[in-house]
């Protein structure tokens, strides 16, 4: 084995690349969740209500 650090790194990377399946992974199916959209609508609705409330407070402060 050579003492050259670049050669050692090259050999190690080559050994790692040949010992694995070279990046080809088996795809894993992801379960489809039917209720995943409900929390998004709740968050959007709450953001809308908070925005309206903040706008109302800003309008009352500005106009008074």
């Amino acid at each position: 084995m050579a003492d050259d650090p670049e050669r050692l790194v090259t050999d190690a990377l080559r050994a790692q690349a040949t010992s694995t399946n070279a990046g080809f992974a088996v795809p894993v199916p992801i379960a489809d969740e039917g209720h995943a959209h409900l929390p998004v609508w709740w968050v959007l609705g709450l953001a809308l209500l908070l925005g309206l409330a903040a706008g109302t407070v800003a309008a009352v402060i500005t106009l008074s």
Side-chain angles (χ1 to χ4, degrees):
M1 185 100 343
D3 290 330
D4 185 21
E6 291 179 10
R7 179 70 178 185
L8 292 174
V9 171
T10 304
D11 290 341
L13 289 174
R14 185 175 293 120
Q16 181 182 9
T18 57
S19 67
T20 62
N21 56 2
F24 297 106
V26 178
V28 177
I30 300 173
D32 186 24
E33 297 179 9
H35 300 291
H37 299 291
L38 183 61
V40 173
W41 291 111
W42 277 105
V43 169
L44 289 176
L46 286 174
L48 178 67
L49 288 176
L50 287 173
L52 288 173
T56 303
V57 169
V60 168
I61 291 173
T62 303
L63 295 175
S64 61

